[in-house]
Amino acid sequence: QVKQLQGTPASQKLLSGVNGWSSVLLVLATIIMLLTAPVYLRFVAGGFGEEKLHLTFQLLCIISTTVVFSGTLTIWRAVLNAGERFAYAALTPTITPILSIFLLLAMPSWGIYAVAVGLVGGSILELTALGIALKRQGISLIPKFNSFDANLRQVAAQYVPMVAGAFLMSSTTLVDQSMAAMLSPGSVAALNYGNRLISLPMALATTALSTAVTPYFSQMVAAQDWSSVRNTLKKYLFWIFLISIPFTGI
């Protein structure tokens, strides 16, 4: 909307402000997560012994940096998607699992730490890849702490309901894994593997389609073409329903 109505310089200023303030928010969230870990881990991993609990905290400390990385990656992917560079944004997340698998096979002596290092290293490589792609488009990624103008306030207002939705969705995973941690060893891993089977069709059927359609919704809203928005939304919901039926049967 900002780019369409106010031009590229205004959209660049908005992105720099979002990068700056989101970085502060993500760093604060990471610090709070680590400082309170000794308290909440005993509830989340109630069935773990002291040794396993200590290992969990060590792994948490290693992967905590991915909170900042993942938040930044989400913003940068959104910029690429807004520019209709869907393929590149969709391919970069494969870097982390590939690196994790490589480290598991190449460094068996590392054990579970290979996965943690793979997550952190993969996130850094993803940031590098996305950063290069955005730089080639002439987009500056330097965070700036701009004043809260009308555009930044609009983003903040849209951010609040997104945070509420993410909190509710993430809490379901937290509850599920907390209950699984009270059961026999391997229950948490079994639950995660089961969820991966469900997340695959969801990512293919809903996430991919919603990612592709969102930029077009943004353009229509910016142009206040509400008739097209309604028609596109109806078609979008229809195809989501149609695509989901076979996976539901499976």
Side-chain angles (χ1 to χ4, degrees):
Q1 181 187 33
V2 172
K3 187 174 183 179
Q4 244 184 305
L5 301 180
Q6 301 177 30
T8 300
S11 65
Q12 177 63 71
K13 180 183 177 182
L14 175 61
L15 177 60
S16 298
V18 169
N19 279 332
W21 289 107
S22 63
S23 298
V24 173
L25 181 63
L26 292 166
V27 169
L28 287 175
T30 303
I31 293 172
I32 293 171
M33 180 183 68
L34 290 176
L35 290 177
T36 57
V39 177
Y40 65 75
L41 278 181
R42 293 192 175 275
F43 293 97
V44 176
F48 288 0
E50 285 299 323
E51 184 178 350
K52 198 171 183 179
L53 198 62
H54 180 65
L55 174 61
T56 303
F57 179 71
Q58 286 182 327
L59 293 172
L60 177 65
C61 290
I62 295 173
I63 66 174
S64 61
T65 53
T66 59
V67 174
V68 179
F69 296 152
S70 297
T72 305
L73 283 169
T74 301
I75 296 171
W76 291 5
R77 283 198 191 99
V79 176
L80 278 177
N81 287 329
E84 301 175 20
R85 295 286 301 277
F86 303 117
Y88 196 87
L91 285 174
T92 50
T94 61
I95 295 175
T96 297
I98 290 173
L99 180 61
S100 298
I101 292 170
F102 171 77
L103 290 177
L104 278 171
L105 296 176
M107 303 292 182
S109 59
W110 289 11
I112 190 62
Y113 290 103
V115 178
V117 173
L119 285 172
V120 176
S123 297
I124 294 173
L125 291 176
E126 286 183 39
L127 275 173
T128 304
L130 289 180
I132 292 172
L134 291 170
K135 272 294 196 181
R136 286 177 176 174
Q137 295 184 29
I139 298 173
S140 174
L141 301 174
I142 300 174
K144 296 180 181 178
F145 301 98
N146 302 325
S147 59
F148 265 77
D149 57 12
N151 294 330
L152 206 52
R153 284 197 299 271
Q154 184 179 1
V155 172
Q158 294 171 344
Y159 189 72
V160 173
M162 292 294 291
V163 169
F167 177 79
L168 290 174
M169 291 301 296
S170 299
S171 64
T172 60
T173 304
L174 190 63
V175 172
D176 290 345
Q177 293 197 351
S178 299
M179 295 177 67
M182 300 176 187
L183 303 176
S184 57
S187 297
V188 175
L191 176 66
N192 285 334
Y193 284 128
N195 284 334
R196 290 295 179 270
L197 293 175
I198 300 299
S199 64
L200 176 61
M202 287 180 63
L204 292 173
T206 58
T207 306
L209 188 55
S210 64
T211 299
V213 80
T214 297
Y216 299 105
F217 272 123
S218 299
Q219 292 172 16
M220 288 183 288
V221 170
Q224 297 186 356
D225 186 359
W226 305 116
S227 176
S228 296
V229 170
R230 285 192 292 270
N231 291 332
T232 306
L233 181 60
K234 289 176 183 177
K235 293 178 181 178
Y236 168 70
L237 294 175
F238 171 76
W239 282 106
I240 285 290
F241 175 74
L242 198 64
I243 294 172
S244 300
I245 291 175
F247 293 112
T248 304
I250 292 173

